[in-house]
Amino acid sequence: MTENSAESVVFIAGGAAIGAGVSATVGGMGLVGGFGGMGIGMTPVTTAGAVAGAAAYGAFKAIGDKDAAALGAIGIGALGGAGVSAAVGGMGLSFSGTAVGIGMGSMAVVGGVVGLGLYGIAKLINSSDAGSNFSRNMQALAEITREYEDKRRWAALEVEEELQALKAKLQTKTDLKLDSVPSSSLNPIFTPPVNPKNSATTSAAQENQFTAPETEADVSSIEAQPPQTWQCVHTLQGHSISVNSVTCSPDGQTFAIGSDNGLIYLWNLKTGQRLSTFFLALKGVSSVAFSPDGQTIVSGDFDRTITSWKVATKEMGNFYGSSGSPYSHAGFVYSVAFTPDGKTLASGSADKTIKIWDVRRLVSTRTLTGHTDTVWCVAITPDGQTLVSGSADKTIRIWRLSRWEPPRILTGHSGWVMSVSISPDGKTLVSGSGDATIKVWNLRTGKLLRTLTGHSKAILSVAISPDEQNLASASRDGTLKIWNLSNGECLQTLCGCNPIAFSRDGQTLVSGGDNYTIKVWRQIVGSQEPLLESMLSG
């Protein structure tokens, strides 16, 4: 790296870091004026910080080179800023319940900074390794944005995991103390007799209150594992940043990946070849879903928007919120799911709400409220009548989409509910949680069937195979586990990570891998020879 490159990285990346830090600290901001109002998310503030860093670099170079052209750039920028103010009229910046006016003088200063920033960028581009330097700085800008988004997203989960570990240690100590006390000395209040009649009454009352029983029917933790039945056949490279979501097409030919760098990649599921790329600028993509006809991909984004793409033409559309807002939600959009007819979309967000969307008109038709914290995941039953949501409030809610009534609430997890999956017959629900457990529920009755343990950290993703035989789980502990859905037996442990998705025939599993790679796993049937892993470059 040359001296100029090192200097520019320090100035521009440093400015971007400051901008991202300001956005993370202050929260939502907005710009208002005669043109109306618009929100300002993390990406614009980060970009503004990068421009300010470029301006500082420009000033540094101008002083060092005694270049009078910098003064001209400042002057032109200041005139441009004053001109914008004169044309637009009064403006204001709102944040944290406060608003400040932006007059012509302020706009002139902003214009001067932009002019100096452009001068700095020009100096950078004119250096001997221009292309490399500029690309490196843009990559640094994207990395800074991703770093702050990741910290905001996962810091609370790490605290939650530490809390769960502390609770487990305290429970172990309590159990040891109780084991050391003679049973005859224990107060009978801790072991009340069971009255079947009262138990039935309690269950009925819980059902009327839309709350599922918390009593666990079975806990499965199987250590012994049979010979491997899943083999990695492709490791797909080419991602330079974290992968957040994966979805397989209805025809079983392709799958789409959404990542922190604002790109959606479309891959051939059979060959591992990259087919297409959908670009969302510096938006991070948190979730992706194929429409049932396979012609559209929808993404939930970290800039609070939902974007749709036509696979064949790459035509893009946006799902707009109420009152003409450019944002779909007031917080990050963490999950999206289609109804089987493809006419309706559901989305879950950090703003604690679930929105129901008309796919044809790209507008919201209903907002479901009740969760008291981030909605991490949503899923819709095969008949399109029921929606299931999981939240950081540690509950699962079951909503009837055709009725305006309170949801049924399932409790039992002691950590965030990060992922939910519904079986193809609509009878079974599986949930994965920050408490490192997987729970299997009867979706119709809300009864907890069993709890699966074996992962050591938060479960980030669960998926039921189309044949309803297997369940896959991905954890922050860096492993994937394949389970027998009917009895909870752990069949295999694989090296991989979130996200995960089964192909439509259930014979292929796509997952995250090490160093921003994607792994494609195939089920080995009978006496087939193990398939060799092929390393493919994106």
Side-chain angles (χ1 to χ4, degrees):
M1 180 181 290
T2 65
E3 182 180 356
N4 283 340
S5 178
E7 292 170 352
S8 63
V9 168
V10 170
F11 280 102
I12 296 179
I18 293 172
V22 168
S23 179
T25 302
V26 175
M29 290 184 282
L31 189 65
V32 297
F35 52 85
M38 59 182 294
I40 303 176
M42 176 175 285
T43 298
V45 178
T46 304
T47 303
V51 171
Y57 173 70
F60 173 79
K61 293 298 294 180
I63 294 173
D65 298 342
K66 298 180 180 180
D67 189 355
L71 297 177
I74 295 172
I76 293 174
L79 289 175
V84 169
S85 179
V88 175
M91 290 185 289
L93 181 67
S94 62
F95 55 91
S96 302
T98 304
V100 295
I102 303 176
M104 183 174 291
S106 299
M107 283 298 297
V109 171
V110 170
V113 171
V114 171
L116 189 56
L118 293 175
Y119 168 84
I121 292 174
K123 295 291 288 185
L124 171 62
I125 293 177
N126 287 333
S127 63
S128 59
D129 53 345
S132 175
N133 289 346
F134 190 73
S135 175
R136 192 177 293 117
N137 279 287
M138 292 302 100
Q139 183 177 359
L141 174 59
E143 288 287 338
I144 289 293
T145 304
R146 178 192 62 80
E147 179 183 351
Y148 274 87
E149 287 177 345
D150 281 349
K151 285 181 179 179
R152 293 174 67 180
R153 210 182 327 159
W154 300 117
L157 179 57
E158 291 173 356
V159 172
E160 182 73 18
E161 288 178 339
E162 291 177 3
L163 178 61
Q164 295 299 327
L166 179 59
K167 285 182 178 179
K169 290 181 181 179
L170 292 176
Q171 184 62 45
T172 300
K173 290 181 179 179
T174 301
D175 291 344
L176 290 173
K177 288 181 180 179
L178 289 176
D179 289 342
S180 65
V181 178
S183 59
S184 59
S185 66
L186 293 177
N187 191 320
I189 194 173
F190 291 106
T191 56
V194 177
N195 186 323
K197 182 177 181 181
N198 290 342
S199 298
T201 303
T202 301
S203 298
Q206 288 175 330
E207 182 68 21
N208 290 336
Q209 295 173 9
F210 303 99
T211 305
E214 296 187 27
T215 304
E216 298 181 359
D218 182 28
V219 177
S220 302
S221 180
I222 311 297
E223 295 298 331
Q225 298 178 15
Q228 290 189 356
T229 57
W230 290 84
Q231 181 78 27
C232 181
V233 295
H234 297 310
T235 296
L236 310 180
Q237 300 173 337
H239 293 273
S240 61
I241 207 164
S242 296
V243 173
N244 299 316
S245 183
V246 58
T247 180
C248 292
S249 63
D251 63 7
Q253 300 300 310
T254 61
F255 67 94
I257 292 291
S259 62
D260 272 349
N261 61 1
L263 298 176
I264 299 173
Y265 293 120
L266 191 64
W267 301 83
N268 184 298
L269 190 60
K270 304 292 185 183
T271 66
Q273 293 181 333
R274 188 190 298 175
L275 302 176
S276 189
T277 302
F278 303 88
F279 183 57
L280 282 168
L282 290 179
K283 296 181 181 181
V285 178
S286 60
S287 55
V288 288
F290 263 108
S291 62
D293 62 9
Q295 297 180 14
T296 303
I297 297 174
V298 167
S299 67
D301 310 323
F302 288 132
D303 69 345
R304 299 171 283 168
T305 64
I306 301 173
T307 308
S308 69
W309 302 88
K310 295 296 183 183
V311 175
T313 64
K314 292 191 177 182
E315 178 185 353
M316 185 176 69
N318 290 308
F319 289 78
Y320 291 111
S322 59
S323 304
S325 169
Y327 299 110
S328 307
H329 277 275
F332 293 170
V333 183
Y334 282 117
S335 183
V336 289
F338 278 97
T339 54
D341 61 10
K343 296 179 180 179
T344 303
L345 182 80
S347 59
S349 169
D351 64 11
K352 310 175 188 178
T353 71
I354 301 155
K355 288 193 175 184
I356 309 301
W357 302 86
D358 183 310
V359 173
R360 183 180 62 84
R361 296 186 295 135
L362 303 179
V363 296
S364 176
T365 60
R366 185 176 171 189
T367 299
L368 306 179
T369 60
H371 280 297
T372 59
D373 210 328
T374 295
V375 179
W376 284 109
C377 50
V378 293
I380 297 175
T381 54
D383 62 8
Q385 299 299 307
T386 303
L387 181 145
V388 178
S389 58
S391 169
D393 64 13
K394 305 177 185 178
T395 70
I396 300 166
R397 299 186 184 233
I398 302 174
W399 314 77
R400 295 290 292 175
L401 294 180
S402 59
R403 305 174 188 170
W404 293 88
E405 62 184 21
R408 172 179 294 177
I409 303 174
L410 305 185
T411 60
H413 279 297
S414 59
W416 296 357
V417 181
M418 306 291 294
S419 179
V420 291
S421 181
I422 299 172
S423 61
D425 64 7
K427 296 179 180 179
T428 304
L429 169 69
V430 174
S431 57
S433 169
D435 62 14
T437 70
I438 302 162
K439 293 186 182 292
V440 183
W441 313 79
N442 182 309
L443 182 55
R444 184 180 62 84
T445 65
K447 180 182 178 181
L448 178 61
L449 302 178
R450 62 181 55 87
T451 297
L452 310 181
T453 63
H455 285 294
S456 61
K457 290 188 177 181
I459 312 296
L460 300 182
S461 185
V462 292
I464 298 175
S465 63
D467 61 7
E468 301 179 359
Q469 298 299 308
N470 294 325
L471 164 69
S473 60
S475 168
R476 272 169 58 86
D477 63 13
T479 66
L480 309 176
K481 289 184 181 291
I482 307 296
W483 312 79
N484 183 308
L485 182 61
S486 62
N487 62 20
E489 179 185 2
C490 183
L491 303 176
Q492 189 174 356
T493 298
L494 309 171
C495 182
C497 60
N498 179 69
I500 55 175
F502 279 103
S503 62
R504 295 296 172 169
D505 62 5
Q507 302 302 306
T508 303
L509 177 70
V510 181
S511 79
D514 298 330
N515 300 319
Y516 310 134
T517 61
I518 293 295
K519 289 188 174 183
V520 179
W521 308 84
R522 296 255 168 83
Q523 191 172 27
I524 307 303
V525 181
S527 59
Q528 288 182 347
E529 293 294 327
L531 299 176
L532 294 178
E533 178 179 338
S534 60
M535 302 299 292
L536 300 180
S537 173

